[in-house]
Amino acid sequence: LHGTTDGIPAFRWVDRATGRVFVANKPADAADIEALHSDGLGLLVDGGVSVSNLFSGDAPQAFATMSRIGSLKEDRDGRRLFNTYLMRPDGFVRGVVRTVSELARERLQARRQVRQDMRPRVHRGWGFAGERGALNGVLRDFNTIMVGEALAAGARSIYVDYVDYVDYDAVAHHAGIMRPESLDALVGLDAVLGRLEQVAEAAPRDYRIVVLSDHGQSQGEVFADRYGESLSDLVSRLSGTIVAGTEVNTEGSAQVGAMTGDQPALVAQALRAGSAGNAEQAEAEEAQAQAAMAAASDSVLVFGSGNLGLVYAGGESHRLTRDEIERRWPALLPGLTGHEGVSFVVVATDDGPVAIGPSGEHRLRDGVVVGTDPLTPFRPEAAAFLLRASSMPEAPDIAVNSLLDDSTGEVAAFEGLVGCHGGLGGWQDRALIVWPSDLPSPPERLVGADAVHRQLVAWLEHLGQRTDLPEGRPRAYEVTRREGRPADGSG
């Protein structure tokens, strides 16, 4: 949506310059992240509409978009429309029926997994059941209504996020990537696309529908279940310190809160209540992590992002090097790299970032390998991906990637998810994009969100858009970095 991933190493991270813990799907954080990274020429700036996204792409209109929650008239209009939809007889009845149906299906499917002893699996309690009921029962419909309204009004471009917050992604996180309920969610999404195609055919403007999956998912037993302790517990044991942080996933519950806000409608209140558990736990843990970051340097923060773990030293304004980590916590790096649930860790050195495995290491900047290369089980692009992520000033002091089972392709999430994305290994880096045949094909393979952004912009330009945009401004993040935050991560 904005063409950059600079300074965003994961779903949660620490900005050492300010000591602030950022969480991408918290409205206040999303707004600040967008303000830092937008150059004013985002994907949707030319008369576009953003629906149910993290960021707006500089769209003039945004509905249920995290970075715009409470800040624009359009967002207030979106909430008003949502409340009106729930208070209409057809909206209320459909919302109640769909929500109760999804909730009942989730409880039956969760019990079936236990009864049939399906592995891997995670506990699927009433909290997720309520979240799934809200997401698939109401918010999918409302997203479709918002897109339909934009199509009927002739919006120049529309970007809507279905999968990350409703449908497949939310269900597969808890059920598994190829389980019947996950695949059934894709069938539902396919039906939604069919309805949007029908609306587009009757719209006043000629539309093209592009379908993008920005990531896949990998599957496996949760790290804590597999080894009897979480990553936070493991780091605490090896370092001899008290660890703060969170390994709770809140993608779905945050979107429910974003859409319902403080709406008084009975159904809206029920939707918020049904998905509140994970959000409250995560908020408490994030507040603890924020306090630890401002505390003395003997504190440690651990965040889970799928099967990627981020370890930060509290109270530090710079990224610790390998030598500093080994002096402060002598048992930490050997204990992590020697753990059977860890493929490798990445730390900073005077020669650049290095990936360290149980019997060798890979220097990411010059490609020199000593001993057994810990990146051998992964895709050929792994070293380049890690170099880019670990060169950010915001990169953790230690990045931990879970095991990759060679025989099954399974990983071990540091969050309580059976299907995950965030690190390396398995199908999580299998993204895809499907476009109409009358649009020009990409000149090369698209690697990374910035490359996808450029391609989407190129298609808009091919269709005659973005011809009279104002001159862009430098991204605030780029300005800040030029003023003293080196791009190679050495600062």
Side-chain angles (χ1 to χ4, degrees):
L1 285 161
H2 292 279
T4 175
T5 58
D6 289 346
I8 305 177
F11 185 73
R12 297 179 180 89
W13 72 94
V14 172
D15 180 68
R16 293 187 181 86
T18 61
R20 178 176 174 181
V21 176
F22 278 95
V23 184
N25 71 346
K26 291 178 65 174
D29 289 356
D32 289 344
I33 294 166
E34 180 169 312
L36 284 170
H37 291 78
S38 171
D39 62 359
L41 299 176
L43 180 67
L44 304 175
V45 65
D46 189 18
V49 177
S50 168
V51 179
S52 196
N53 300 307
L54 278 181
F55 305 108
S56 73
D58 296 318
Q61 281 191 304
F63 300 108
T65 296
M66 287 293 177
S67 63
R68 298 280 187 90
I69 295 300
S71 62
L72 282 183
K73 176 181 181 296
E74 287 85 355
D75 179 66
R76 293 194 294 272
D77 287 347
R79 291 194 180 192
R80 191 178 304 113
L81 287 169
F82 181 70
N83 203 39
T84 301
Y85 162 70
L86 291 180
M87 295 182 70
R88 285 169 40 187
D90 55 343
F92 177 82
V93 172
R94 180 178 172 86
V96 169
V97 171
R98 287 283 303 275
T99 298
V100 172
S101 174
E102 281 292 322
L103 193 152
R105 290 175 64 200
E106 165 56 28
R107 295 306 296 156
L108 289 172
Q109 291 164 347
R111 290 171 181 168
R112 182 182 63 192
Q113 278 197 345
V114 174
R115 186 173 63 253
Q116 297 178 350
D117 196 26
M118 299 178 69
R119 301 285 182 174
R121 70 170 186 265
V122 295
H123 174 67
R124 294 159 63 177
W126 282 100
F128 173 65
E131 184 178 300
R132 178 177 166 182
L135 292 170
N136 287 4
V138 175
L139 296 189
R140 178 205 283 174
D141 279 356
F142 188 72
N143 285 350
T144 304
I145 289 173
M146 289 292 95
V147 175
E149 293 278 355
L151 288 169
R156 304 198 74 187
S157 58
I158 307 156
Y159 194 109
V160 56
D161 186 348
Y162 277 108
V163 178
D164 267 352
Y165 299 117
V166 302
D167 294 299
Y168 179 84
D169 193 69
V171 178
H173 274 320
H174 295 83
I177 61 178
M178 298 293 286
R179 302 284 164 75
E181 51 264 52
S182 304
L183 298 180
D184 185 56
L186 286 180
V187 174
L189 180 59
D190 186 66
V192 168
L193 292 175
R195 288 195 291 272
L196 292 179
E197 191 174 31
Q198 292 177 325
V199 176
E201 288 174 355
R205 183 184 297 275
D206 187 20
Y207 285 100
R208 308 293 194 280
I209 296 179
V210 175
V211 180
L212 166 67
S213 171
D214 59 348
H215 57 74
Q217 281 198 29
S218 299
Q219 185 168 290
E221 190 174 1
V222 176
F223 185 90
D225 295 339
R226 185 187 292 254
Y227 301 107
E229 61 180 347
S230 66
L231 179 62
S232 294
D233 294 336
L234 175 61
V235 171
S236 178
R237 176 168 60 82
L238 294 172
S239 63
T241 62
I242 297 176
V243 171
T246 180
E247 292 153 301
V248 177
N249 181 276
T250 59
E251 289 182 336
S253 55
Q255 188 64 11
V256 176
M259 193 64 261
T260 58
D262 55 359
Q263 297 296 337
L266 179 62
V267 176
Q269 295 181 44
L271 296 181
R272 287 196 302 275
S275 63
N278 273 359
E280 292 175 355
Q281 180 182 350
E283 286 179 6
E285 293 179 350
E286 286 156 7
Q288 182 185 21
Q290 186 71 70
M293 189 60 200
S297 57
D298 59 350
S299 60
V300 178
L301 288 76
V302 175
F303 301 135
S305 184
N307 73 314
L308 169 68
L310 297 89
V311 181
Y312 290 90
E316 293 290 349
S317 60
H318 73 286
R319 185 181 179 189
L320 298 185
T321 65
R322 179 179 185 173
D323 291 341
E324 291 175 305
I325 294 170
E326 290 175 340
R327 284 197 298 270
R328 184 175 298 184
W329 302 297
L332 184 54
L333 291 181
L336 288 174
T337 56
H339 194 283
E340 60 180 322
V342 174
S343 289
F344 61 85
V345 303
V346 179
V347 295
T349 72
D350 293 337
D351 296 320
V354 58
I356 309 171
S359 56
E361 54 189 59
H362 186 130
R363 290 187 350 210
L364 300 175
R365 185 175 293 171
D366 56 20
V368 172
V369 175
V370 178
T372 302
D373 187 354
L375 303 185
T376 297
F378 300 90
R379 296 179 63 182
E381 302 91 348
F385 291 162
L386 290 173
L387 177 61
R388 179 176 182 176
S390 60
S391 294
M392 298 178 184
E394 293 81 3
D397 297 292
I398 307 173
V400 185
N401 201 88
S402 85
L403 91 158
L404 172 62
D405 190 312
D406 292 335
S407 60
T408 64
E410 290 190 344
V411 301
F414 297 121
E415 301 173 283
L417 305 175
V418 67
C420 69
H421 50 88
L424 291 178
W427 290 0
Q428 60 189 308
D429 51 5
R430 266 65 167 180
L432 66 85
I433 185 167
V434 182
W435 65 92
S437 58
D438 64 340
L439 293 180
S441 297
E444 58 187 6
R445 184 182 177 209
L446 301 178
V447 179
D450 45 357
V452 175
H453 171 87
R454 290 192 296 270
Q455 182 58 57
L456 295 175
V457 167
W459 280 331
L460 289 174
E461 292 173 343
H462 173 79
L463 295 172
Q465 299 194 30
R466 302 177 66 91
T467 58
D468 56 354
L469 297 181
E471 184 176 347
R473 62 180 185 272
R475 293 186 175 93
Y477 180 84
E478 295 295 327
V479 172
T480 303
R481 194 168 66 178
R482 286 198 298 269
E483 289 176 349
R485 296 173 63 183
D488 63 1
S490 60

